[in-house]
Amino acid sequence: MTGMPETQIDWSKGVPLTAGNYFMGLYQPSPETAGFWEGVANDELRIKHCRDCGRLWHPKRIVCTHCGSSDLDWKKADGRGEIYSFTEVRRAPTPAFAASVPYALGLVKLVEGVFLFTRFFGAPGTIRIGAAATVDFKVLELGQKLPVFTVGE
Amino acid sequence: MRSDIGSKVAIVGIGRALAKKSDPEPKTPLQLGARAAVDAMRQAGIGRNQVGALFTGRTPQSYMVLQYNQSLMNELKIGPTFCSETTNHGAGALGALEVAALALDSRMIDYALVVTNEASGIWMDQVGSNASWEGDLQFEAAYGSTTPALYAQFACRYMHEYGITEEQCARVSVENRRWALDHPHAAMRSKGAISVDDVMNSRMIASPLKLLDCAVWYPGGIATAIVLTRADIARAKHEEVTYLAGFGQCSTHEWVGERMGGWGYEPMVDAPDMIRTGAGVSAIQAYEMSGLGPKDIDIVQTSAPFSFVNLMILEELGFCGRGEGGAFVDSGGVDYDGGLPFNTNGGYLSFGQVAQGLYNLTDTIDHLYGRSEGRPVKNAKVGMIHGHGGVLACHAVVIVSREQLQ
């Protein structure tokens, strides 16, 4: 997937115009997310927590939009939740993911009430709205360890 | 509070430039944009020194320069008072009209030029690149998200909460295709009619979205330019005048994963969900500004890149009640024969998607003046155009009218 068919005029002087993999290569934690990834490195799911009003946020927050506080820290999540929405991906975005299809992506609602976008693992037919799911940590296709959810308590 | 700006601003010039991937010399968005802009100024009969404002939609994905508006301004040799991108994703195309209208109504300028252009179908791998643009790079893209997979989260909840069926969604694909067969520039024009079974049997992309539930990427590039002026100038100096009877915009989130952490504002006042979008808020603004309601609209275009989004947007624009999109379509609501004229060039599903918000607007204006390139909609006087971008994140709605309302 280079994005430029060979028959076309090379006005970009050979620089590939595909943004996909290039953009993914720009992935990096930002100051307000570094603590989340530190948790993932230790197999711990963390949620941003407002020390003033107690609200919880995912995937990040700079200022608590409920009370306006900047006094935020990380709280360890229970790790359990239920599937809120999902899809089974059959066509991968890039070659890196092609060998993994089909795989399930969706939103999980944690018991704390916070929603996460994640990868679901489960036997066929078990990934459905309302199904209980538990956090796990796996190294996915881009070589990055991520929190994923497995169907079941 | 109701705005009194409706119909105080009008479109007096249109320029379009289209290119195909198969053209011997592939065109860049800047080439197409400059061509369309000059044609729009020519049609309006204004010179370069009269352009008070230049607004572009977002930077073309296939021409990623910072401040694209400056590149285009440089190419046109104009000296605008206001010059900017309007960058709320695909909604920025129609959204730029709102900015232009405010600048004109304030009497700071007399003419505004609005240009949108994209040629990603010529230069890019849109499947791979768009997947990265639409997903949060840290929290979504790394999981292997695709554009259909992100929209599918909305489809999953919409179908779950309202009992919408895949067959109901498929029916929109079928009706959109019928319009495309009549339109000379539709990507799927030569592909023939499709049936609900064809949609249901097409290969799965990201459940429940199958290939024929998904927009086709436009195999080329499209630029559209529009010249706007105040209604008094339009009536005094211009022949073909189309009024901006009403418009509205609303953005709710950036990433799908962030959307469920946001509430406390319209349309998610009490709690977040995956159903209510800014399209409804935009439509209410546009209706109130124009003094019109859904029954007054003769022709509708949406920027729905998946079949189910059409059903959601029909609800949001007020053509049926909340949760009734499936039943509305089932009862022939958007049928090519006798339904609401809907996505009359084939829509994103069969015309193709290339950020053509303004193209759909000018296509609608063609119908109002009886010169449509595709199948004509007879006696159309008022049209509604919905544009959106991000994953149902940013929305804009514009109502155009041949007559000055208010």
Side-chain angles (χ1 to χ4, degrees), chain B residues 211-259:
Chain B
L211 184 67
L212 294 177
D213 287 312
C214 304
V216 57
W217 290 109
Y218 192 78
I222 297 180
T224 312
I226 285 176
V227 173
L228 299 105
T229 188
R230 286 195 307 279
D232 56 327
I233 300 172
R235 279 195 305 275
K237 298 187 175 173
H238 297 276
E239 284 178 16
E240 185 184 292
V241 177
T242 308
Y243 295 94
L244 278 193
F247 48 76
Q249 286 188 76
C250 181
S251 299
T252 52
H253 61 276
E254 180 64 343
W255 315 118
V256 167
E258 281 273 11
R259 176 185 163 98

Side-chain angles (χ1 to χ4, degrees), chain A residues 55-61 65 82-85 106-110 112-117, chain B residues 140 150 153-154 157 161 252-265 268 270-276 391:
Chain A
R55 288 268 170 165
L56 297 166
W57 304 96
H58 177 82
K60 57 186 182 285
R61 203 79 293 129
T65 53
E82 65 173 52
I83 296 175
Y84 182 74
S85 66
L107 293 169
V108 61
K109 184 180 186 184
L110 300 183
E112 290 87 354
V114 171
F115 293 84
L116 266 93
F117 188 86
Chain B
E140 292 168 12
L150 294 170
Q153 307 306 321
F154 287 88
R157 292 303 305 188
E161 292 189 27
T252 52
H253 61 276
E254 180 64 343
W255 315 118
V256 167
E258 281 273 11
R259 176 185 163 98
M260 291 304 292
W263 67 93
Y265 45 87
M268 300 188 290
D270 45 346
D273 64 39
M274 294 291 280
I275 291 179
R276 292 172 292 179
V391 183

Side-chain angles (χ1 to χ4, degrees), chain B residues 96-388:
Chain B
L97 297 183
E98 179 166 348
V99 184
L102 297 174
L104 289 162
D105 190 53
S106 73
R107 296 184 172 263
M108 290 288 285
I109 57 166
D110 287 340
Y111 289 98
L113 174 63
V114 177
V115 185
T116 61
N117 32 213
E118 183 59 88
S120 45
I122 295 174
W123 300 103
M124 299 179 65
D125 158 31
Q126 295 178 102
V127 174
S129 62
N130 220 66
S132 307
W133 262 306
E134 306 261 46
D136 181 321
L137 295 179
Q138 282 191 59
F139 296 98
E140 292 168 12
Y143 286 103
S145 65
T146 63
T147 301
L150 294 170
Y151 276 89
Q153 307 306 321
F154 287 88
C156 177
R157 292 303 305 188
Y158 178 57
M159 295 169 81
H160 173 74
E161 292 189 27
Y162 294 126
I164 303 289
T165 67
E166 292 182 45
E167 286 83 359
Q168 290 170 331
C169 299
R171 186 149 172 184
V172 180
S173 301
V174 170
E175 299 302 326
N176 277 199
R177 176 63 63 86
R178 295 182 72 186
W179 285 98
L181 298 179
D182 293 331
H183 199 287
H185 302 304
M188 305 307 273
R189 187 190 187 195
S190 61
K191 302 291 184 185
I194 53 173
S195 66
V196 168
D197 281 346
D198 290 335
V199 181
M200 295 298 292
N201 293 328
S202 61
R203 73 185 164 90
M204 191 62 81
I205 300 295
S207 65
L209 308 175
K210 298 162 292 296
L211 184 67
L212 294 177
D213 287 312
C214 304
V216 57
W217 290 109
Y218 192 78
I222 297 180
T224 312
I226 285 176
V227 173
L228 299 105
T229 188
R230 286 195 307 279
D232 56 327
I233 300 172
R235 279 195 305 275
K237 298 187 175 173
H238 297 276
E239 284 178 16
E240 185 184 292
V241 177
T242 308
Y243 295 94
L244 278 193
F247 48 76
Q249 286 188 76
C250 181
S251 299
T252 52
H253 61 276
E254 180 64 343
W255 315 118
V256 167
E258 281 273 11
R259 176 185 163 98
M260 291 304 292
W263 67 93
Y265 45 87
E266 291 285 356
M268 300 188 290
V269 177
D270 45 346
D273 64 39
M274 294 291 280
I275 291 179
R276 292 172 292 179
T277 76
V281 178
S282 308
I284 289 169
Q285 292 169 11
Y287 282 133
E288 286 185 351
M289 193 183 290
S290 64
L292 300 175
K295 287 190 165 45
D296 302 308
I297 307 297
D298 301 315
I299 178 170
V300 181
Q301 320 288 358
T302 71
S303 68
F306 298 97
S307 57
F308 81 95
V309 177
N310 286 285
L311 274 57
M312 285 178 77
I313 298 300
L314 283 163
E315 297 176 15
E316 298 276 14
L317 301 183
F319 295 102
C320 57
R322 178 74 66 193
E324 294 171 3
F328 181 72
V329 168
D330 259 350
S331 64
V334 296
D335 274 10
Y336 175 86
D337 295 314
L340 173 73
F342 181 71
N343 293 345
T344 59
N345 56 27
Y348 276 34
L349 299 183
S350 271
F351 181 90
Q353 178 177 355
V354 61
Q356 70 272 44
L358 285 185
Y359 182 82
N360 283 347
L361 178 102
T362 60
D363 230 20
T364 306
I365 292 172
D366 283 349
H367 281 283
L368 304 187
Y369 289 93
R371 55 158 187 260
S372 63
E373 293 184 288
R375 181 208 202 191
V377 175
K378 294 201 177 73
N379 303 317
K381 299 212 163 32
V382 177
M384 174 178 263
I385 304 94
H386 160 255
H388 103 275

Side-chain angles (χ1 to χ4, degrees), chain B residues 49-72:
Chain B
N49 61 338
Q50 288 176 280
V51 178
L54 171 67
F55 298 116
T56 64
R58 61 168 161 72
T59 302
Q61 292 179 344
S62 50
Y63 209 95
M64 269 291 168
V65 293
L66 292 176
Q67 306 180 81
Y68 178 81
N69 57 300
Q70 296 298 114
S71 295
L72 185 59

